[in-house]
């Protein structure tokens, strides 16, 4: 009782985290994300290790023959590119995890009819909601940290290319963005589940939003991009000069604005653009310094962060009417 009175947010968050650990729901889904990410990563890591071994063998052969290494160009290896599959799993399954975690956090109190009892304690409505939000943030960010840690360890062990502090820093930045991204779906579902008359309808609406934002909008944007119809890009394959590219694009500027607007409406696309740039997955940013990339992609990061923050504010701002929710 004294702990609840002195630290209500901490107590509520600790209880929610304890409940989640007990039923192992988030642990199971996180494990599934990690397994899917590692499956896509290890295949590429083995191929990278083979390329590295081939180079080392050629290098050793030249040295044994007494020749200089000028005859063989040292390749550049970018192991972070292999995290593409992990990012794509977080985009899709991570968002589902956020939805289910948010639904569980809200419906657990409504289902057990404990809201009215909690509000009889020395707890303000915002403290109850803040505790729930903190619990969700801790659980989801910890799960994502485990996924990225497993991926980084797998890269280190299987690719043959060591990860430096700079690489780990890039992974850390993407982890922060991924946590904010997943919390968008957590907050949205929590808000809907806590306040809609039927929690099941809230879950349906959340998955409808997931379908549009995560699957439909990004796919429409990619499919409608003329330069995506050929691997590597039409302009690149045809070796069209930059000036000519700009002239051609000017001819369908309205279409391009509409297509980009569809993509920009999806927070998933902003997360993908930011992550692919920071990790160097997109060729345009491969091998480039981190500073200029962060400056260029700050718009995508702030879109993710402000969306997550905005939903958190909405979640905390509306006062709880425990009696009404108990009667529903």
């Amino acid at each position: 009782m004294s702990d609840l009175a002195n630290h209500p947010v901490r107590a509520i968050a600790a209880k929610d985290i304890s409940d989640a650990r007990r039923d192992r729901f988030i642990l199971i889904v996180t494990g599934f994300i990690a397994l899917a990410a590692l499956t896509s990563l290890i295949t590429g890591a083995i191929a990278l290790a083979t390329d590295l071994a081939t180079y080392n063998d050629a290098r050793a052969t030249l040295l044994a023959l007494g020749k200089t290494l000028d005859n063989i160009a040292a390749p550049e290896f970018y192991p972070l590119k292999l995290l593409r599959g992990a990012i794509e799993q977080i985009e899709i399954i991570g968002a589902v995890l956020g939805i289910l975690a948010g639904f569980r956090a809200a419906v657990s109190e409504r289902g057990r009819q404990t809201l009215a009892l909690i509000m009889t304690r020395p707890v303000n409505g915002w403290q109850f909601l803040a505790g729930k939000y903190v619990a969700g943030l801790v659980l989801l960010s910890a799960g994502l940290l485990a996924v990225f840690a497993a991926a980084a360890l797998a890269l280190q062990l299987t690719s043959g290319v060591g990860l430096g502090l700079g690489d780990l820093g890039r992974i850390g930045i993407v982890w922060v963005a991924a946590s904010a991204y997943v919390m968008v779906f957590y907050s949205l579902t929590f808000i809907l589940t806590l306040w809609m008359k039927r929690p099941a309808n809230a879950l349906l609406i959340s998955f409808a939003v997931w379908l549009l934002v995560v699957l439909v909008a990004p796919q429409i944007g990619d499919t409608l991009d003329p330069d995506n119809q050929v691997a590597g890009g039409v302009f690149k394959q045809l070796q069209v000069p930059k000036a000519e590219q700009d002239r051609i694009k000017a001819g369908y500027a309205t279409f391009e604005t509409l297509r980009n607007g569809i993509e920009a409406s999806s927070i998933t696309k902003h997360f993908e653009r930011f992550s692919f740039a920071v990790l160097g997955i997109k060729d345009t940013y491969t091998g480039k310094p981190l500073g200029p990339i962060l400056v260029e992609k700050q718009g995508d990061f702030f879109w993710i962060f402000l969306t997550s923050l905005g939903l958190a504010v909405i979640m905390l701002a509306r006062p709880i009417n425990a009696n009404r929710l108990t009667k529903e």
Side-chain angles (χ1 to χ4, degrees):
M1 178 71 175
S2 60
D3 288 341
L4 187 62
N6 295 329
H7 307 285
V9 174
R10 183 189 306 171
I12 292 170
K15 176 185 175 299
D16 223 41
I17 292 171
S18 177
D19 290 344
R21 291 175 59 188
R22 191 180 303 112
D23 63 28
R24 299 182 180 179
F25 161 74
I26 291 181
L27 179 63
I28 293 171
V29 180
T30 300
F32 182 77
I33 297 174
L35 179 62
L38 291 176
T39 300
S40 63
L41 182 148
I42 289 176
T43 302
I46 293 174
L48 181 60
T50 302
D51 292 341
L52 180 61
T54 301
Y55 166 73
N56 288 333
D57 289 343
R59 184 176 181 273
T61 301
L62 285 176
L63 291 175
L65 294 173
K67 296 183 179 181
T68 66
L69 297 179
D70 295 337
N71 297 322
I72 179 172
E76 292 184 296
F77 298 106
Y78 301 101
L80 294 186
K81 278 180 168 289
L82 300 180
L83 293 176
R84 181 187 189 114
I87 297 302
E88 291 173 345
Q89 296 300 330
I90 291 172
E91 287 176 9
I92 300 173
I93 307 177
V96 172
L97 175 59
I99 289 173
L100 296 178
F103 178 77
R104 175 195 164 281
V107 82
S108 62
E109 305 300 345
R110 293 189 63 171
R112 295 194 298 258
Q113 299 290 304
T114 55
L115 269 174
L117 176 61
I118 291 174
M119 299 311 295
T120 62
R121 305 290 184 90
V123 179
N124 293 325
W126 73 266
Q127 291 173 327
F128 168 77
L129 296 172
K132 288 286 187 176
Y133 185 85
V134 170
L137 179 60
V138 170
L139 289 167
L140 294 174
S141 60
L144 291 174
L145 181 61
V147 171
F148 280 114
L153 182 61
L155 277 177
Q156 188 77 23
L157 296 177
T158 60
S159 69
V161 180
L163 298 178
L165 290 178
D167 295 325
L168 295 178
R170 289 172 184 255
I171 293 175
I173 291 172
V174 172
W175 166 67
V176 172
S179 298
Y181 168 74
V182 174
M183 284 303 294
V184 167
F185 295 92
Y186 175 92
S187 300
L188 174 66
T189 308
F190 185 91
I191 292 168
L192 293 175
T193 305
L194 191 62
W195 290 109
M196 289 190 69
K197 186 174 183 179
R198 297 180 181 275
N201 291 343
L203 190 61
L204 289 175
I205 293 174
S206 296
F207 272 110
V209 172
W210 171 83
L211 182 66
L212 291 173
V213 171
V214 177
L215 298 181
V216 176
Q219 189 60 40
I220 289 177
D222 288 340
T223 303
L224 294 179
D225 188 352
D227 200 36
N228 280 349
Q229 306 312 308
V230 176
V234 174
F235 294 135
K236 184 177 181 179
Q237 291 296 324
L238 297 178
Q239 299 181 342
V240 178
K242 184 65 170 63
E244 185 65 14
Q245 291 181 28
D246 295 337
R247 189 190 67 80
I248 295 173
K249 290 179 179 179
Y252 58 90
T254 302
F255 171 84
E256 180 64 16
T257 300
L258 176 62
R259 185 200 66 79
N260 188 66
I262 294 174
E263 279 194 348
S265 66
S266 168
I267 190 172
T268 301
K269 200 63 182 179
H270 287 286
F271 173 62
E272 180 181 288
R273 289 174 176 176
F274 179 80
S275 301
F276 279 19
V278 170
L279 296 175
I281 295 173
K282 189 172 182 180
D283 293 339
T284 308
Y285 301 97
T286 302
K288 287 192 173 182
L290 179 59
I293 292 176
L294 292 178
V295 171
E296 180 180 340
K297 290 298 176 180
Q298 61 181 327
D300 292 309
F301 178 80
F302 283 123
W303 184 284
I304 301 167
F305 178 76
L306 292 178
T307 302
S308 185
L309 180 62
L311 285 171
V313 170
I314 293 173
M315 175 179 167
L316 298 174
R318 185 171 179 179
I320 293 179
N321 186 336
N323 293 327
R324 182 181 67 82
L325 292 174
T326 301
K327 293 175 182 178
E328 290 179 351

